[in-house]
Amino acid sequence: DQQVKQNSPSLSVQEGRISILNCDYTNSMFDYFLWYKKYPAEGPTFLISISSIKDKNEDGRFTVFLNKSAKHLSLHIVPSQPGDSAVYFCAASALGGSNYKLTFGKGTLLTVNP
Amino acid sequence: DAGVTQSPTHLIKTRGQHVTLRCSPISGHKSVSWYQQVLGQGPQFIFQYYEKEERGRGNFPDRFSARQFPNYSSELNVNALLLGDSALYLCASSLLVAGGIDTQYFGPGTRLTVL
């Protein structure tokens, strides 16, 4: 049973436009959410996170929105740049547990076209 | 500052063999976690260690084991390798502040191929 779902395997946008990547989760114990970017042959790079006490967190071109009632979060990238082309993973953890293991989605391949 | 480092970067083994993967966390980080990523999937949690003690274990067979050393570096061991163990093995480190926000930072991974 997949507890974190990224239903879009791929997304293609034009340079300068907005990229919106979506993520849904089923486990109501999750209270901390992270987005990672991954290039081929590299490890995931941390992008931005949000705790369940917030509904929005912004860092430069990246904004994450959390809708707890819908168990949905999204990552907005504005403006999108060709260097943003990568696989984006949504991850979740339950900080109240004995360990902070991350549960990942399958990822969304973002392609930003010049 | 150096990030998380892993060795080796690539490894080729045959079925039935044993493998040891190594990880050095970011300086000051006391928690190390291991993940397995197979093609087309997100990373799957294997282990978490904190202060040399196992804090969590994912749904992996007993062929997988790990340990953490006094300098907080860690090893992941896999015995009796199967073809299905072929994957990218990722190590992540974090501060693991109790009750606080815990962001995990990943190394570049070790690509294991089992023939």
Side-chain angles (χ1 to χ4, degrees), chain A residues 61-107:
Chain A
R61 296 186 297 115
F62 302 92
T63 303
V64 56
F65 296 91
L66 175 62
N67 182 335
K68 283 183 292 182
S69 61
K71 293 191 176 67
H72 176 84
L73 62 155
S74 61
L75 174 68
H76 293 211
I77 307 174
V78 182
S80 300
Q81 300 173 353
D84 295 330
S85 297
V87 177
Y88 288 77
F89 288 100
C90 170
S93 70
L95 297 180
S98 60
N99 69 75
Y100 297 168
K101 75 169 191 177
L102 294 177
T103 302
F104 284 83
K106 290 186 176 183

Tab-separated table of all heavy atoms in Angstrom, chain A residues 61-107:
chain	number	residue	atom	x	y	z
A	61	ARG	N	12.350	30.559	-5.504
A	61	ARG	CA	11.411	30.194	-6.570
A	61	ARG	C	10.499	29.030	-6.179
A	61	ARG	O	9.599	28.669	-6.947
A	61	ARG	CB	12.192	29.812	-7.827
A	61	ARG	CG	13.013	30.950	-8.426
A	61	ARG	CD	13.641	30.556	-9.760
A	61	ARG	NE	14.579	29.457	-9.626
A	61	ARG	CZ	14.402	28.257	-10.177
A	61	ARG	NH1	13.318	27.994	-10.893
A	61	ARG	NH2	15.321	27.305	-10.016
A	62	PHE	N	10.743	28.426	-5.044
A	62	PHE	CA	10.029	27.220	-4.632
A	62	PHE	C	9.047	27.513	-3.502
A	62	PHE	O	9.405	28.147	-2.514
A	62	PHE	CB	11.018	26.133	-4.173
A	62	PHE	CG	12.022	25.760	-5.220
A	62	PHE	CD1	13.255	26.398	-5.298
A	62	PHE	CD2	11.736	24.776	-6.145
A	62	PHE	CE1	14.183	26.055	-6.264
A	62	PHE	CE2	12.654	24.422	-7.122
A	62	PHE	CZ	13.879	25.072	-7.184
A	63	THR	N	7.808	27.055	-3.686
A	63	THR	CA	6.793	27.185	-2.661
A	63	THR	C	6.096	25.847	-2.505
A	63	THR	O	5.726	25.212	-3.511
A	63	THR	CB	5.754	28.257	-3.023
A	63	THR	OG1	6.415	29.504	-3.245
A	63	THR	CG2	4.732	28.429	-1.904
A	64	VAL	N	5.927	25.414	-1.263
A	64	VAL	CA	5.181	24.187	-1.012
A	64	VAL	C	3.896	24.555	-0.280
A	64	VAL	O	3.896	25.373	0.636
A	64	VAL	CB	6.011	23.149	-0.215
A	64	VAL	CG1	6.515	23.716	1.098
A	64	VAL	CG2	5.218	21.882	0.025
A	65	PHE	N	2.793	23.976	-0.748
A	65	PHE	CA	1.483	24.172	-0.147
A	65	PHE	C	1.014	22.850	0.437
A	65	PHE	O	1.177	21.790	-0.182
A	65	PHE	CB	0.471	24.642	-1.205
A	65	PHE	CG	0.781	25.977	-1.798
A	65	PHE	CD1	1.557	26.090	-2.948
A	65	PHE	CD2	0.291	27.150	-1.212
A	65	PHE	CE1	1.849	27.329	-3.509
A	65	PHE	CE2	0.575	28.385	-1.761
A	65	PHE	CZ	1.358	28.483	-2.909
A	66	LEU	N	0.423	22.927	1.628
A	66	LEU	CA	-0.084	21.728	2.286
A	66	LEU	C	-1.562	21.899	2.595
A	66	LEU	O	-1.965	22.882	3.235
A	66	LEU	CB	0.689	21.453	3.579
A	66	LEU	CG	0.189	20.297	4.448
A	66	LEU	CD1	0.291	18.977	3.699
A	66	LEU	CD2	0.960	20.237	5.763
A	67	ASN	N	-2.373	20.948	2.155
A	67	ASN	CA	-3.801	20.921	2.456
A	67	ASN	C	-4.057	19.657	3.272
A	67	ASN	O	-4.199	18.565	2.734
A	67	ASN	CB	-4.623	20.910	1.160
A	67	ASN	CG	-6.114	20.920	1.413
A	67	ASN	OD1	-6.594	20.491	2.458
A	67	ASN	ND2	-6.862	21.412	0.453
A	68	LYS	N	-4.064	19.812	4.593
A	68	LYS	CA	-4.162	18.632	5.467
A	68	LYS	C	-5.494	17.918	5.334
A	68	LYS	O	-5.557	16.692	5.411
A	68	LYS	CB	-3.929	19.042	6.923
A	68	LYS	CG	-2.479	19.289	7.262
A	68	LYS	CD	-2.315	19.606	8.728
A	68	LYS	CE	-2.945	20.941	9.060
A	68	LYS	NZ	-2.767	21.324	10.481
A	69	SER	N	-6.561	18.676	5.171
A	69	SER	CA	-7.876	18.033	5.086
A	69	SER	C	-7.960	17.142	3.852
A	69	SER	O	-8.596	16.095	3.870
A	69	SER	CB	-8.988	19.075	5.086
A	69	SER	OG	-8.856	19.934	3.976
A	70	ALA	N	-7.294	17.565	2.786
A	70	ALA	CA	-7.296	16.763	1.559
A	70	ALA	C	-6.130	15.800	1.507
A	70	ALA	O	-6.014	15.015	0.555
A	70	ALA	CB	-7.260	17.678	0.341
A	71	LYS	N	-5.231	15.876	2.481
A	71	LYS	CA	-4.008	15.075	2.483
A	71	LYS	C	-3.271	15.247	1.154
A	71	LYS	O	-2.929	14.280	0.459
A	71	LYS	CB	-4.305	13.599	2.762
A	71	LYS	CG	-4.814	13.317	4.174
A	71	LYS	CD	-4.822	11.815	4.449
A	71	LYS	CE	-5.223	11.508	5.864
A	71	LYS	NZ	-6.622	11.852	6.151
A	72	HIS	N	-3.039	16.490	0.820
A	72	HIS	CA	-2.444	16.829	-0.463
A	72	HIS	C	-1.421	17.933	-0.280
A	72	HIS	O	-1.630	18.872	0.494
A	72	HIS	CB	-3.543	17.305	-1.424
A	72	HIS	CG	-3.028	17.762	-2.749
A	72	HIS	ND1	-2.760	16.906	-3.786
A	72	HIS	CD2	-2.716	19.012	-3.195
A	72	HIS	CE1	-2.318	17.597	-4.821
A	72	HIS	NE2	-2.287	18.877	-4.492
A	73	LEU	N	-0.292	17.797	-0.983
A	73	LEU	CA	0.650	18.898	-1.023
A	73	LEU	C	1.127	19.097	-2.454
A	73	LEU	O	1.029	18.191	-3.289
A	73	LEU	CB	1.831	18.699	-0.072
A	73	LEU	CG	2.796	17.546	-0.238
A	73	LEU	CD1	4.129	17.923	0.384
A	73	LEU	CD2	2.262	16.311	0.477
A	74	SER	N	1.596	20.313	-2.706
A	74	SER	CA	2.089	20.621	-4.041
A	74	SER	C	3.336	21.483	-3.938
A	74	SER	O	3.519	22.225	-2.965
A	74	SER	CB	1.003	21.320	-4.866
A	74	SER	OG	0.624	22.531	-4.257
A	75	LEU	N	4.164	21.349	-4.947
A	75	LEU	CA	5.377	22.156	-5.072
A	75	LEU	C	5.216	23.035	-6.303
A	75	LEU	O	4.961	22.527	-7.400
A	75	LEU	CB	6.604	21.261	-5.221
A	75	LEU	CG	7.924	21.977	-5.504
A	75	LEU	CD1	8.367	22.790	-4.286
A	75	LEU	CD2	9.020	20.970	-5.890
A	76	HIS	N	5.358	24.351	-6.095
A	76	HIS	CA	5.297	25.299	-7.192
A	76	HIS	C	6.695	25.845	-7.455
A	76	HIS	O	7.383	26.264	-6.503
A	76	HIS	CB	4.349	26.452	-6.858
A	76	HIS	CG	2.913	26.039	-6.762
A	76	HIS	ND1	1.878	26.890	-7.095
A	76	HIS	CD2	2.327	24.879	-6.393
A	76	HIS	CE1	0.728	26.263	-6.932
A	76	HIS	NE2	0.973	25.040	-6.508
A	77	ILE	N	7.087	25.860	-8.710
A	77	ILE	CA	8.370	26.421	-9.108
A	77	ILE	C	8.088	27.553	-10.086
A	77	ILE	O	7.524	27.345	-11.163
A	77	ILE	CB	9.269	25.364	-9.783
A	77	ILE	CG1	9.419	24.122	-8.904
A	77	ILE	CG2	10.651	25.965	-10.073
A	77	ILE	CD1	10.167	22.972	-9.569
A	78	VAL	N	8.455	28.774	-9.671
A	78	VAL	CA	8.192	29.942	-10.508
A	78	VAL	C	9.377	30.913	-10.460
A	78	VAL	O	9.758	31.315	-9.360
A	78	VAL	CB	6.937	30.700	-10.042
A	78	VAL	CG1	6.656	31.885	-10.969
A	78	VAL	CG2	5.735	29.793	-9.964
A	79	PRO	N	9.957	31.325	-11.590
A	79	PRO	CA	9.722	30.755	-12.910
A	79	PRO	C	10.550	29.490	-13.113
A	79	PRO	O	11.624	29.347	-12.530
A	79	PRO	CB	10.226	31.867	-13.834
A	79	PRO	CG	11.339	32.510	-13.048
A	79	PRO	CD	10.926	32.430	-11.595
A	80	SER	N	10.066	28.618	-13.922
A	80	SER	CA	10.804	27.370	-14.184
A	80	SER	C	12.006	27.650	-15.087
A	80	SER	O	11.947	28.498	-15.990
A	80	SER	CB	9.890	26.353	-14.869
A	80	SER	OG	8.777	26.062	-14.052
A	81	GLN	N	13.095	26.922	-14.813
A	81	GLN	CA	14.321	27.082	-15.587
A	81	GLN	C	14.755	25.717	-16.123
A	81	GLN	O	14.464	24.686	-15.500
A	81	GLN	CB	15.428	27.661	-14.707
A	81	GLN	CG	15.105	29.029	-14.123
A	81	GLN	CD	16.141	29.500	-13.120
A	81	GLN	OE1	17.046	28.766	-12.749
A	81	GLN	NE2	15.994	30.740	-12.681
A	82	PRO	N	15.465	25.672	-17.247
A	82	PRO	CA	15.904	24.381	-17.788
A	82	PRO	C	16.697	23.542	-16.786
A	82	PRO	O	16.604	22.312	-16.773
A	82	PRO	CB	16.761	24.787	-18.989
A	82	PRO	CG	16.176	26.085	-19.436
A	82	PRO	CD	15.770	26.785	-18.157
A	83	GLY	N	17.449	24.199	-15.907
A	83	GLY	CA	18.216	23.484	-14.881
A	83	GLY	C	17.357	22.814	-13.830
A	83	GLY	O	17.853	22.008	-13.033
A	84	ASP	N	16.049	23.126	-13.827
A	84	ASP	CA	15.129	22.476	-12.893
A	84	ASP	C	14.733	21.090	-13.386
A	84	ASP	O	14.081	20.337	-12.657
A	84	ASP	CB	13.860	23.322	-12.705
A	84	ASP	CG	14.137	24.658	-12.052
A	84	ASP	OD1	15.092	24.753	-11.253
A	84	ASP	OD2	13.389	25.619	-12.355
A	85	SER	N	15.078	20.763	-14.608
A	85	SER	CA	14.722	19.460	-15.168
A	85	SER	C	15.388	18.351	-14.350
A	85	SER	O	16.615	18.278	-14.262
A	85	SER	CB	15.154	19.366	-16.627
A	85	SER	OG	14.486	20.324	-17.415
A	86	ALA	N	14.563	17.514	-13.747
A	86	ALA	CA	15.041	16.462	-12.845
A	86	ALA	C	13.833	15.650	-12.408
A	86	ALA	O	12.697	15.963	-12.755
A	86	ALA	CB	15.741	17.051	-11.625
A	87	VAL	N	14.082	14.609	-11.608
A	87	VAL	CA	12.990	13.875	-10.968
A	87	VAL	C	12.759	14.484	-9.588
A	87	VAL	O	13.713	14.700	-8.829
A	87	VAL	CB	13.317	12.375	-10.832
A	87	VAL	CG1	12.192	11.648	-10.085
A	87	VAL	CG2	13.520	11.748	-12.206
A	88	TYR	N	11.516	14.786	-9.281
A	88	TYR	CA	11.154	15.377	-8.002
A	88	TYR	C	10.414	14.345	-7.159
A	88	TYR	O	9.420	13.755	-7.601
A	88	TYR	CB	10.278	16.619	-8.211
A	88	TYR	CG	11.091	17.771	-8.748
A	88	TYR	CD1	11.458	17.814	-10.096
A	88	TYR	CD2	11.505	18.809	-7.921
A	88	TYR	CE1	12.227	18.855	-10.588
A	88	TYR	CE2	12.271	19.851	-8.407
A	88	TYR	CZ	12.634	19.869	-9.736
A	88	TYR	OH	13.403	20.888	-10.236
A	89	PHE	N	10.903	14.159	-5.935
A	89	PHE	CA	10.294	13.212	-5.013
A	89	PHE	C	9.635	13.955	-3.862
A	89	PHE	O	10.226	14.863	-3.271
A	89	PHE	CB	11.340	12.252	-4.438
A	89	PHE	CG	11.857	11.244	-5.423
A	89	PHE	CD1	13.077	11.431	-6.049
A	89	PHE	CD2	11.128	10.100	-5.710
A	89	PHE	CE1	13.570	10.504	-6.953
A	89	PHE	CE2	11.604	9.164	-6.618
A	89	PHE	CZ	12.820	9.378	-7.240
A	90	CYS	N	8.445	13.540	-3.539
A	90	CYS	CA	7.748	13.975	-2.347
A	90	CYS	C	8.022	12.932	-1.271
A	90	CYS	O	8.034	11.725	-1.559
A	90	CYS	CB	6.254	14.058	-2.679
A	90	CYS	SG	5.171	14.296	-1.286
A	91	ALA	N	8.279	13.381	-0.044
A	91	ALA	CA	8.546	12.451	1.054
A	91	ALA	C	7.815	12.942	2.304
A	91	ALA	O	7.568	14.137	2.467
A	91	ALA	CB	10.049	12.329	1.323
A	92	ALA	N	7.492	12.008	3.186
A	92	ALA	CA	6.767	12.336	4.411
A	92	ALA	C	7.329	11.559	5.577
A	92	ALA	O	7.856	10.452	5.407
A	92	ALA	CB	5.282	12.027	4.241
A	93	SER	N	7.228	12.145	6.762
A	93	SER	CA	7.633	11.437	7.971
A	93	SER	C	6.687	11.788	9.106
A	93	SER	O	5.948	12.778	9.045
A	93	SER	CB	9.078	11.761	8.352
A	93	SER	OG	9.196	13.089	8.798
A	94	ALA	N	6.735	10.947	10.145
A	94	ALA	CA	5.933	11.162	11.340
A	94	ALA	C	6.890	11.499	12.468
A	94	ALA	O	7.543	10.610	13.011
A	94	ALA	CB	5.119	9.914	11.657
A	95	LEU	N	6.988	12.776	12.818
A	95	LEU	CA	7.988	13.204	13.783
A	95	LEU	C	7.716	12.655	15.187
A	95	LEU	O	8.603	12.580	16.011
A	95	LEU	CB	8.064	14.729	13.839
A	95	LEU	CG	8.504	15.414	12.549
A	95	LEU	CD1	8.529	16.918	12.749
A	95	LEU	CD2	9.858	14.908	12.098
A	96	GLY	N	6.488	12.270	15.433
A	96	GLY	CA	6.167	11.772	16.764
A	96	GLY	C	6.575	10.336	16.997
A	96	GLY	O	6.449	9.836	18.109
A	97	GLY	N	7.075	9.677	15.975
A	97	GLY	CA	7.461	8.276	16.100
A	97	GLY	C	8.850	8.115	16.686
A	97	GLY	O	9.527	9.090	16.996
A	98	SER	N	9.298	6.880	16.810
A	98	SER	CA	10.606	6.616	17.396
A	98	SER	C	11.729	6.853	16.393
A	98	SER	O	12.878	6.966	16.773
A	98	SER	CB	10.680	5.174	17.910
A	98	SER	OG	10.476	4.273	16.839
A	99	ASN	N	11.387	6.869	15.140
A	99	ASN	CA	12.390	7.216	14.138
A	99	ASN	C	11.727	8.087	13.093
A	99	ASN	O	10.504	8.146	12.988
A	99	ASN	CB	12.998	5.964	13.503
A	99	ASN	CG	12.007	5.217	12.627
A	99	ASN	OD1	11.697	5.639	11.530
A	99	ASN	ND2	11.501	4.117	13.128
A	100	TYR	N	12.514	8.770	12.358
A	100	TYR	CA	11.996	9.729	11.397
A	100	TYR	C	12.182	9.211	9.988
A	100	TYR	O	12.614	9.932	9.111
A	100	TYR	CB	12.695	11.076	11.562
A	100	TYR	CG	12.470	11.729	12.914
A	100	TYR	CD1	13.238	12.817	13.288
A	100	TYR	CD2	11.528	11.263	13.793
A	100	TYR	CE1	13.052	13.420	14.508
A	100	TYR	CE2	11.333	11.865	15.030
A	100	TYR	CZ	12.097	12.947	15.375
A	100	TYR	OH	11.930	13.546	16.576
A	101	LYS	N	11.821	7.950	9.758
A	101	LYS	CA	12.011	7.419	8.428
A	101	LYS	C	11.178	8.199	7.434
A	101	LYS	O	10.075	8.652	7.728
A	101	LYS	CB	11.636	5.937	8.386
A	101	LYS	CG	10.146	5.660	8.412
A	101	LYS	CD	9.875	4.203	8.102
A	101	LYS	CE	8.392	3.967	7.848
A	101	LYS	NZ	8.095	2.576	7.481
A	102	LEU	N	11.721	8.353	6.250
A	102	LEU	CA	11.025	9.031	5.171
A	102	LEU	C	10.327	8.003	4.299
A	102	LEU	O	10.905	6.979	3.946
A	102	LEU	CB	12.012	9.833	4.327
A	102	LEU	CG	12.700	11.018	5.012
A	102	LEU	CD1	13.710	11.656	4.069
A	102	LEU	CD2	11.675	12.033	5.467
A	103	THR	N	9.077	8.306	3.965
A	103	THR	CA	8.321	7.513	3.009
A	103	THR	C	8.197	8.338	1.747
A	103	THR	O	7.689	9.465	1.789
A	103	THR	CB	6.938	7.151	3.564
A	103	THR	OG1	7.093	6.427	4.782
A	103	THR	CG2	6.173	6.297	2.561
A	104	PHE	N	8.686	7.795	0.643
A	104	PHE	CA	8.761	8.533	-0.618
A	104	PHE	C	7.661	8.125	-1.579
A	104	PHE	O	7.196	6.981	-1.582
A	104	PHE	CB	10.101	8.255	-1.309
A	104	PHE	CG	11.274	8.968	-0.723
A	104	PHE	CD1	11.931	8.459	0.387
A	104	PHE	CD2	11.734	10.159	-1.283
A	104	PHE	CE1	13.026	9.115	0.928
A	104	PHE	CE2	12.832	10.817	-0.750
A	104	PHE	CZ	13.475	10.294	0.359
A	105	GLY	N	7.295	9.073	-2.448
A	105	GLY	CA	6.507	8.749	-3.623
A	105	GLY	C	7.427	8.223	-4.716
A	105	GLY	O	8.647	8.142	-4.541
A	106	LYS	N	6.828	7.877	-5.870
A	106	LYS	CA	7.609	7.306	-6.960
A	106	LYS	C	8.337	8.353	-7.792
A	106	LYS	O	9.174	8.011	-8.626
A	106	LYS	CB	6.717	6.465	-7.869
A	106	LYS	CG	6.225	5.183	-7.237
A	106	LYS	CD	5.474	4.330	-8.243
A	106	LYS	CE	5.066	3.013	-7.614
A	106	LYS	NZ	4.381	2.124	-8.589
A	107	GLY	N	8.001	9.605	-7.585
A	107	GLY	CA	8.686	10.663	-8.297
A	107	GLY	C	7.949	11.149	-9.530
A	107	GLY	O	7.148	10.427	-10.133
